[in-house]
Amino acid sequence: MTDLTGKTALVTGASRGIGRAIAERLASDGARVAVHYGSNEAAAKETVAAIESAGGQAFSVRADLGVDGDVDTLFDGLTAGLAGDPLDILVNNAAIMIYEATLPDATPEQFERLFAVNVRAPFFIAQRTLPLLADGGRIINISSGVTWFATPQTVYAMTKGALNAFARSAANSLGSRGITVNTISPGVTDTDMNGWLHETDDAAPGIAALTALERVGRGPDIADTVAFLASADGRWVTGQTLEVNGGLFLGPKSQAW
Ligand SMILES: NC(=O)c1ccc[n+]([C@@H]2O[C@H](COP(=O)([O-])OP(=O)(O)OC[C@H]3O[C@@H](n4cnc5c(N)ncnc54)[C@H](OP(=O)(O)O)[C@@H]3O)[C@@H](O)[C@H]2O)c1
């Protein structure tokens, strides 16, 4: 357990999936967490209720990302919830996948939507966070293993590559304030984004077979690494991309040769 007592955190896309697991973990470590969501108010309320029933502190903030004024809406809710406190931890987690946005089939509208939600929004959220962010603060972006393994979803992969590039340069710019900027890159994780894992009997075992630790990832697997980077223990790690995937695609397991 890491100690985040007295800290504040914003986790985007914290109503469901990996973001919810991150919000719950940071709150259980003592942070007061802004649980951001786009449209699923019921899920955001569930996240806040789960945090509070475990003895933690949280408030929800609604903002549809990828539309004009999105960051203004988010920061109106965030600053009201923070009530004058600085922000210590920003986790840019919210993102969308558009499965049809492949090289042959992607439309300009899909391309722009993916970049608006997955790249433009986290960039300008980070920019707007800077005056609020305490020295020694943390920015953690959630990217994806598709930055290094091939996928038909080319546009989604490109958005995550942009996020990886952001962290390295931002880390160098913000180091003088003691702020670290890192990227966490999950492998295949069981969330709503990956409904296909439950559509056929062999999908999840197929991913497990490609993974050294022989299972599909779960939200808390990612959240625990976020907690490390957010904590004092992570103070000397910056500008890095951490692959958090149970050993996805490390190579064949049977050494037949
Ligand atoms: N699952 C995986 O295997 C996997 C692998 C690698 C990387 N990732 C990355 O991990 C992060 C979390 O993914 P996930 O699988 O947990 O996703 P998810 O289950 O689909 O949840 C997405 C979250 O983001 C929010 N969100 C999505 N679009 C939004 C928008 N336009 N405006 C505001 N909020 C929006 C959703 O809010 P609402 O509830 O309001 O809709 C929800 O809280 C993403 O960055 C994803 O790219 C996931």
Side-chain angles (χ1 to χ4, degrees):
M1 188 66 63
T2 47
D3 185 11
L4 298 175
T5 306
K7 305 285 187 191
T8 56
L10 165 63
V11 182
T12 68
S15 46
R16 296 181 285 117
I18 291 170
R20 175 174 174 162
I22 294 169
E24 290 190 18
R25 172 62 204 259
L26 298 183
S28 77
D29 287 358
R32 185 155 60 96
V33 179
V35 171
H36 161 263
Y37 68 104
S39 57
N40 196 333
E41 188 173 4
K45 280 186 172 162
E46 266 183 40
T47 306
V48 171
I51 288 171
E52 289 176 342
S53 71
Q57 299 178 73
F59 57 94
S60 62
V61 179
R62 179 177 193 153
D64 186 15
L65 301 179
V67 299
D68 287 349
D70 52 359
V71 179
D72 295 333
T73 307
L74 172 58
F75 277 77
D76 285 350
L78 177 67
T79 49
L82 288 176
D85 285 342
L87 186 71
D88 297 292
I89 302 155
L90 165 64
V91 183
N92 268 318
N93 164 80
I96 54 166
M97 161 69 90
I98 300 178
Y99 280 96
E100 301 75 28
T102 61
L103 177 57
D105 295 329
T107 64
E109 292 74 21
Q110 290 169 338
F111 186 99
E112 279 167 20
R113 176 74 182 153
L114 278 159
F115 270 83
V117 177
N118 295 5
V119 182
R120 192 182 74 191
F123 176 86
F124 286 102
I125 291 169
Q127 183 188 69
R128 186 71 72 86
T129 298
L130 292 182
L132 272 183
L133 199 62
D135 286 359
R138 303 281 191 263
I139 298 176
I140 300 162
N141 294 327
I142 307 300
S143 179
S144 170
V146 296
T147 52
W148 59 267
F149 66 79
T151 172
Q153 279 70 44
T154 310
V155 183
Y156 173 82
M158 292 167 69
T159 67
K160 295 302 188 176
L163 215 49
N164 289 11
F166 166 77
R168 194 172 177 83
S169 292
N172 223 19
S173 305
L174 296 175
S176 58
R177 289 180 54 193
I179 294 168
T180 68
V181 187
N182 289 291
T183 309
I184 287 184
S185 189
V188 182
T189 311
D190 191 358
T191 68
D192 295 343
M193 190 179 270
N194 285 334
W196 55 268
L197 278 170
H198 301 284
E199 283 168 10
T200 60
D201 288 342
D202 53 1
I207 294 298
L210 297 170
T211 306
L213 296 178
E214 298 186 342
R215 65 169 173 79
V216 172
R218 303 173 190 127
D221 297 326
I222 313 304
D224 291 353
T225 308
V226 172
F228 161 71
L229 288 174
S231 75
D233 289 348
R235 66 194 173 279
W236 200 235
V237 183
T238 195
Q240 304 303 308
T241 298
L242 267 69
E243 304 296 334
V244 183
N245 59 26
L248 183 64
F249 297 135
L250 291 185
K253 287 196 120 179
S254 60
Q255 304 292 323
W257 55 90

